[in-house]
Amino acid sequence: KQEVTQIPAALSVPEGENLVLNCSFTDSAIYNLQWFRQDPGKGLTSLLLIQSSQREQTSGRLNASLDKSSGRSTLYIAASQPGDSATYLCAVSGNQFYFGTGTSLTVIP
Amino acid sequence: NAGVTQTPKFRVLKTGQSMTLLCAQDMNHEYMYWYRQDPGMGLRLIHYSVGEGTTAKGEVPDGYNVSRLKKQNFLLGLESAAPSQTSVYFCASSYSGREVGNEQFFGPGTRLTVL
């Protein structure tokens, strides 16, 4: 069974700092990896999707990378803002989707 | 374009009662999914569907049933609710389940409490 781990579970940074969120998975036979943002009491918003044949994807201040062979992905957030405060989840897809438990990010003004 | 919608948003049940959660999507997606989210457990797949008239079990299917009579709707049923089913339920959809087109889009969730 696929296991997805996100470290750290919580992160607090001052506004303007660049940061990296980590996601690791145990089975490299995946179709793709998707990063989501979840605000308290809300649903999941898709941020980036990386197909298994790709190495990275970028959207604005966000950059996600994928290393299938090592079972790792990172989400890089540049110049963090208080509005980035949320929980960030990664999910890998094979026959099913498997989610990590998320990293709760707080950006301090 | 409403995306993925879920009804109801909140519900409180007593042990043994039944209910149905409705998910609707207007993106003409083939695949639909039901997840539950519990503290410290992340999202876990309950059931999913790869097209109208099809359903399949996910990671935690026990105590739930589903139906996909129309392409745009995916129903999740609890026949006899138990306190262990207290959770937040999310519906999602995707164009396909393979490498291309399986980006998932989520609904806002249903918060269910079973007393």
Side-chain angles (χ1 to χ4, degrees):
Chain A
K1 176 182 174 253
Q2 179 77 267
E3 300 285 344
V4 182
T5 304
Q6 291 186 249
I7 295 174
L11 182 64
S12 184
V13 300
E15 181 178 2
E17 192 164 294
N18 302 325
L19 59 100
V20 174
L21 306 180
N22 297 295
C23 173
S24 62
F25 48 95
T26 54
D27 186 350
S28 62
I30 63 171
Y31 289 135
N32 60 40
L33 185 144
Q34 195 169 355
W35 281 94
F36 296 89
R37 169 189 173 132
Q38 185 175 29
D39 293 286
K42 303 293 185 182
L44 280 70
T45 301
S46 179
L47 297 173
L48 290 166
L49 180 142
I50 310 175
Q51 295 179 0
S52 63
S53 57
Q54 298 175 323
R55 296 299 300 267
E56 65 178 294
Q57 281 286 339
T58 298
S59 176
R61 293 183 294 110
L62 305 179
N63 176 276
S65 67
L66 174 64
D67 185 342
K68 261 183 51 174
S69 60
S70 67
R72 294 182 180 182
S73 175
T74 61
L75 178 67
Y76 174 83
I77 302 177
S80 59
Q81 303 171 358
D84 295 331
S85 298
T87 296
Y88 291 81
L89 298 161
C90 68
V92 296
S93 71
N95 292 327
Q96 296 184 12
F97 281 88
Y98 292 93
F99 283 78
T101 52
T103 294
S104 177
L105 173 65
T106 301
V107 181
I108 304 167
Chain B
N1 191 339
V4 181
T5 58
Q6 293 182 232
T7 53
K9 290 185 171 53
F10 303 93
R11 186 72 186 268
V12 178
L13 291 178
K14 294 181 180 178
T15 298
Q17 287 184 320
S18 64
M19 77 163 295
T20 300
L21 282 68
L22 170 64
C23 175
Q25 53 91 8
D26 61 2
M27 296 174 283
N28 200 35
H29 284 171
E30 291 292 335
Y31 284 61
M32 296 186 75
Y33 314 83
W34 276 108
Y35 293 91
R36 59 178 290 173
Q37 186 177 36
D38 302 290
M41 300 289 290
L43 277 84
R44 292 179 292 169
L45 183 65
I46 304 171
H47 286 281
Y48 64 101
S49 169
V50 303
E52 182 178 316
T54 74
T55 63
K57 294 180 180 180
E59 185 182 354
V60 289
D62 294 342
Y64 305 94
N65 56 75
V66 288
S67 64
R68 183 98 180 268
L69 299 180
K70 293 183 179 180
K71 185 177 182 178
Q72 63 268 36
N73 295 337
F74 196 28
L75 305 179
L76 178 70
L78 286 73
E79 291 186 346
S80 179
S84 60
Q85 294 177 305
T86 293
S87 187
V88 180
Y89 291 85
F90 288 101
C91 176
S93 70
S94 64
Y95 180 74
S96 81
R98 295 296 184 180
E99 181 169 0
V100 177
N102 74 344
E103 181 178 7
Q104 291 194 84
F105 296 87
F106 278 77
T110 295
R111 188 174 297 273
L112 175 66
T113 301
V114 182
L115 302 175

